[in-house]
Amino acid sequence: MPRITLRDIARYCGVDRSTVSRALRDDPLVTPATRLRVLDAADRLNYRPNITARSLAGGRSEALGFVAGSLAAPIDWRLVVHATQRSTERAYNLFVTLYDSDDALYRRAVDRLGQGLADGAIVLPRRSQSDVEVLRDAALRGFPMVFIDNWVEELPAPVVTTDNRSAAQELVRRCLDAGAEEMVLAFPALPNPVEMERLAGAEDAARQAGVRRLQTVGPDDAIDGGASQGPIGIVGSSQGLLHSLMSRSAAQLRLRRMTIGCFDAWLGEPHPADTVIVALQDIEGLARVAVDRALALVAGEAIEGPRIVRLPALEFRTIHPSF
Amino acid sequence: MPRITLRDIARYCGVDRSTVSRALRDDPLVTPATRLRVLDAADRLNYRPNITARSLAGGRSEALGFVAGSLAAPIDWRLVVHATQRSTERAYNLFVTLYDSDDALYRRAVDRLGQGLADGAIVLPRRSQSDVEVLRDAALRGFPMVFIDNWVEELPAPVVTTDNRSAAQELVRRCLDAGAEEMVLAFPALPNPVEMERLAGAEDAARQAGVRRLQTVGPDDAIDGGASQGPIGIVGSSQGLLHSLMSRSAAQLRLRRMTIGCFDAWLGEPHPADTVIVALQDIEGLARVAVDRALALVAGEAIEGPRIVRLPALEFRTIHPSF
DNA sequence: TTGTACGCGTTATCAG
DNA sequence: CTGATAACGCGTACAA
């Protein structure tokens, strides 16, 4: 099954390859008549340009990479979807590569992208320690990169993220407004900027409100119920984390009224006596801004504004059990 | 920031470009001494081969594409993760492209992959009507494709999927064993093979067991409670679908004991009185077999075994509320 | 064992 | 307006 190339069309039309190339790229230099002939032939022969050849010749691939650990959290794949859309609007392609906590895969993915496959990348880092090593080479080589959602302090690439601090504050406030008398804060122990900002914001709000009891639980801790049986507020980064915490703490939580504060999404139903408040982030906004900044970098334009862009939460949605 | 090429290394070492090329590809023809010199220089200059050039010259990209609608369902991104791993094991790269129900994006994605960017693709179709049109061109051109999980009847590509029929049967049986006195079947109206097989299997099992009441609900229907208040079984494809059905039917379901049968994953907690049975599919197996079949196609090997491979469910897991 | 020369499919730069 | 020609970076027969 031999591929149809420019040469085939050129032969078919009796013109030169370069004329075909021009015609297909809508170069105004080419006569409408010949262009029509060429387009018709291309259509008839079912021609598709070879992208690798085009990248090689043009020096650009017109593609961006999206590097992510996994797509387990809804925010992850939603970022991918919107980044794909925005890239397409800007006549760029987006390739997603996952590394799933595997450093070798991670390095490979970043390497490949920098090898002419993409003109730049959007990076969604997860574990800051290895992120640094893997990304440094590409950064040093001047490969355009933009961090999305989370980032790595040590690298100078632009960052597009959410206003995590304010959102965490607001979640705590709303839990208290809903009647919570004590607060539990559950954020992963990972030393990454997002979790740190969230924790700081939540602690701030709790302290300012003078919460009677405040505990910060680690990834394997259970909630210390103490003697109280009153309404409790639990704020954390993701449903998965909260869910496992609540399972571990089932004995302490049974029969207590709970208000849960969570980021991004809550799937399924709250328990009958509970309320869930979700900080809905502007995921589409993140993706669009990240793609635009990446393309600006690719084009060599100076970055406008601060290195870290923080988009505010779109909405705080309260979910009550439906039955 | 000029890229380092073979030429630079060749100059640096005082050898020819082709020698460098060979040394880097571990060609046994090259003297250990010179290979060492070359590798050292490559390392020192921080050389990275240009993939587009390599693909162009070699005629293969050593990459596979993974085309999916979205990654909303856990099975989707888990397939991607495992396909990435398997591809890497086989020294291939995997690029994911999403189209998110957008036909233009879809066509573009498939086109690009066929343009030299990938040697073949794994396709996870979602809506069979447009899938046919978009994929037909690539298929006709002889572009190697393998369907994963779901597929399109009209196209002859190999299929790797699960044994949906048996799994649906088993879910219904287990609901009945758990005490359900009537059954509700909730599968999307999409005319795709997976949903059809699931529905058929579920109906089979329900009929064989002589269920007193059996209803099949559409995407916007609510459950018809009738007069009964006994235990009810609800089997459907995904948590999202079941969740919206249950919300719409809240009045009928309140206070009834429910057993829910679901595919792939259940996030969050069952309601206090409910039980959830999940058919855990062999997602890693699907991904591995799909990658292997795709690479076999790429290599021009004959496909062994039947066109449709069906992997059995790994496990049926029962989830009880933890508090 | 290494160097020479050509081709991969496309774009860009010249002449004509 | 079009045709010839030289890149782009790499792989590989073939020659030395």
Side-chain angles (χ1 to χ4, degrees), chain A residues 70-80 124 126 149 237-240 263-265 267 283, chain B residues 71-72 77:
Chain A
S70 84
L71 300 177
I75 186 177
D76 297 334
W77 58 261
R78 292 188 52 205
L79 282 174
V80 172
L124 174 46
R126 274 293 168 249
D149 189 44
S237 267
S238 69
Q239 184 180 9
F263 283 80
D264 298 321
L267 298 153
I283 296 180
Chain B
L71 300 178
W77 58 260

Side-chain angles (χ1 to χ4, degrees), chain A residues 2-66:
Chain A
R3 288 186 54 96
I4 306 289
T5 74
L6 281 186
R7 188 183 238 104
D8 299 314
I9 302 187
R11 261 201 294 266
Y12 188 90
C13 296
V15 295
D16 190 82
R17 301 199 309 260
S18 45
T19 305
V20 176
S21 174
R22 282 188 281 251
L24 292 175
R25 317 196 93 239
D26 272 344
D27 191 320
L29 284 175
V30 83
T31 305
T34 54
R35 184 180 53 203
L36 225 62
R37 261 184 31 235
V38 169
L39 288 178
D40 181 63
D43 194 47
R44 193 186 308 276
L45 296 178
N46 214 348
Y47 167 79
R48 295 287 184 283
N50 182 315
I51 296 215
T52 55
R54 177 175 290 175
S55 312
L56 187 57
R60 290 175 316 140
S61 64
E62 314 216 311
L64 288 179
F66 191 111

Side-chain angles (χ1 to χ4, degrees), chain B residues 10-32:
Chain B
R11 261 201 295 265
Y12 188 90
C13 297
V15 295
D16 190 80
R17 301 200 311 259
S18 50
T19 305
V20 176
S21 173
R22 283 190 276 252
L24 292 176
R25 318 198 93 240
D26 272 345
D27 191 320
L29 285 175
V30 83
T31 304

Side-chain angles (χ1 to χ4, degrees), chain A:
Chain A
M1 194 94 47
R3 288 186 54 96
I4 306 289
T5 74
L6 281 186
R7 188 183 238 104
D8 299 314
I9 302 187
R11 261 201 294 266
Y12 188 90
C13 296
V15 295
D16 190 82
R17 301 199 309 260
S18 45
T19 305
V20 176
S21 174
R22 282 188 281 251
L24 292 175
R25 317 196 93 239
D26 272 344
D27 191 320
L29 284 175
V30 83
T31 305
T34 54
R35 184 180 53 203
L36 225 62
R37 261 184 31 235
V38 169
L39 288 178
D40 181 63
D43 194 47
R44 193 186 308 276
L45 296 178
N46 214 348
Y47 167 79
R48 295 287 184 283
N50 182 315
I51 296 215
T52 55
R54 177 175 290 175
S55 312
L56 187 57
R60 290 175 316 140
S61 64
E62 314 216 311
L64 288 179
F66 191 111
V67 185
S70 84
L71 300 177
I75 186 177
D76 297 334
W77 58 261
R78 292 188 52 205
L79 282 174
V80 172
V81 166
H82 288 119
T84 303
Q85 287 170 333
R86 181 55 178 162
S87 300
T88 306
E89 284 172 21
R90 305 222 29 198
Y92 256 71
N93 267 86
L94 190 84
F95 297 114
V96 186
T97 40
L98 298 186
Y99 55 86
D100 191 48
S101 328
D102 180 328
D103 277 351
L105 283 191
Y106 194 2
R107 182 171 293 279
R108 222 181 124 107
V110 174
D111 260 13
R112 305 281 286 203
L113 290 177
Q115 288 165 5
L117 240 151
D119 300 333
I122 295 171
V123 180
L124 174 46
R126 274 293 168 249
R127 303 147 306 138
S128 38
Q129 53 282 30
S130 57
D131 282 311
V132 187
E133 309 164 18
V134 172
L135 299 174
R136 196 194 312 273
D137 273 7
L140 284 179
R141 202 175 287 113
F143 185 64
M145 288 189 307
V146 173
F147 287 120
I148 193 165
D149 189 44
N150 214 330
W151 68 100
V152 176
E153 306 276 15
E154 292 90 334
L155 299 176
V159 176
V160 185
T161 185
T162 55
D163 191 346
N164 286 293
R165 195 182 175 92
S166 305
Q169 287 177 340
E170 185 65 22
L171 282 177
V172 168
R173 278 191 221 110
R174 290 191 180 222
C175 283
L176 296 173
D177 286 351
E181 293 171 0
E182 62 179 290
M183 292 294 310
V184 176
L185 308 183
F187 294 90
L190 302 178
N192 75 49
V194 166
E195 300 300 343
M196 288 176 67
E197 292 190 347
R198 287 178 177 177
L199 180 57
E203 283 178 336
D204 259 22
R207 249 186 253 111
Q208 276 183 16
V211 173
R212 215 179 38 187
R213 267 185 105 221
L214 171 66
Q215 51 187 309
T216 303
V217 300
D220 299 315
D221 302 343
I223 294 173
D224 175 7
S228 56
Q229 283 298 322
I232 188 172
I234 309 178
V235 171
S237 267
S238 69
Q239 184 180 9
L241 198 80
L242 288 167
H243 180 228
S244 68
L245 171 65
M246 287 158 63
S247 299
R248 279 196 309 274
S249 316
Q252 279 74 31
L253 295 175
R254 207 180 306 275
L255 303 177
R256 295 185 72 172
R257 197 157 72 73
M258 289 189 280
T259 304
I260 296 163
C262 180
F263 283 80
D264 298 321
W266 186 269
L267 298 153
E269 283 273 309
H271 266 239
D274 305 342
T275 300
V276 176
I277 302 168
V278 184
L280 294 174
Q281 305 287 7
D282 185 6
I283 296 180
E284 177 171 3
L286 282 182
R288 297 178 74 89
V289 174
V291 168
D292 289 345
R293 292 201 119 191
L295 291 183
L297 277 185
V298 169
E301 298 167 15
I303 298 268
E304 54 189 22
R307 182 174 86 95
I308 302 186
V309 175
R310 294 172 201 276
L311 304 187
L314 277 185
E315 186 190 344
F316 291 83
R317 181 169 295 168
T318 302
I319 307 176
H320 297 285
S322 62
F323 58 100

Side-chain angles (χ1 to χ4, degrees), chain B residues 5-6 18 21 25 47 50 54 57:
Chain B
T5 74
L6 281 185
S18 50
S21 173
R25 318 198 93 240
Y47 167 78
N50 182 314
R54 176 176 291 177

